[in-house]
Amino acid sequence: MTDLSIPSMTAHPILPSRNEDYGFFRTLTTCPQRDRCSAEVWVLASIMIADATCADSEDEMIGIRDFLDSRIGRHFADDVVGNMTGCNIGLETAIAGTIRRWQDWRISRQSEREDGIPAGLPYLTGWVQHFAVAAAMAESD
């Protein structure tokens, strides 16, 4: 793991991507504006998401990894890249802005019906929790 000198609330390790050909990892790998290697971007985003969602368990860290590896994680990455290119800002600021926006959005009743995420939760927190629960359920099978 790379030391980014960013304090993190979580004592759990940052899990590497299991889907480098898609999701957040791939989108940021192909972004020419990023100012560090893809693995460092992954760690930075994971730490910042863990802090924003108050992730404090291994299951929640799995949820963050699976969220970033997912289709939804690719959309998150698209927002980060859009912030960097459209606002001409650095990577860390772009990730922070995307986290703030996604935390301001709320899970809709439609998402609650379709995905089982409780309506009203902050969007980012809801999706991280969704992937954490899905991973825990798959592990228990």
Side-chain angles (χ1 to χ4, degrees):
M1 185 169 89
T2 305
D3 176 20
L4 298 174
S5 300
I6 298 171
S8 176
M9 288 175 24
T10 183
H12 299 280
I14 302 301
L15 302 173
S17 174
R18 294 191 312 186
N19 188 11
E20 292 183 4
D21 295 329
Y22 195 65
F24 181 89
F25 195 96
R26 176 64 178 174
T27 299
L28 268 294
T29 295
T30 60
C31 176
Q33 285 82 11
R34 66 179 164 61
D35 58 2
R36 51 194 96 182
C37 73
S38 299
E40 289 178 7
V41 174
W42 178 271
V43 169
L44 176 64
S46 296
I47 289 169
M48 293 175 76
I49 291 169
D51 288 347
T53 61
C54 300
D56 63 358
S57 71
E58 184 177 352
D59 285 344
E60 289 168 322
M61 296 311 293
I62 291 169
I64 290 169
R65 180 205 51 214
D66 292 354
F67 161 74
L68 289 172
D69 275 345
S70 74
R71 174 182 54 87
I72 306 292
R74 184 182 56 78
H75 294 306
F76 182 85
D78 288 341
D79 277 359
V80 171
V81 171
N83 281 343
M84 289 171 59
T85 58
C87 301
N88 197 27
I89 57 177
L91 178 66
E92 191 168 338
T93 304
I95 293 170
T98 301
I99 288 171
R100 197 169 27 261
R101 183 172 41 258
W102 281 50
Q103 285 293 76
D104 285 344
W105 294 340
R106 296 293 179 241
I107 296 292
S108 68
R109 293 205 183 279
Q110 180 178 349
S111 292
E112 181 177 42
R113 282 190 303 274
E114 293 174 359
D115 301 302
I117 306 168
L121 278 179
Y123 200 73
L124 180 59
T125 298
W127 279 107
V128 167
Q129 291 299 316
H130 169 76
F131 284 104
V133 169
M137 289 175 63
E139 190 176 283
S140 69
D141 285 344

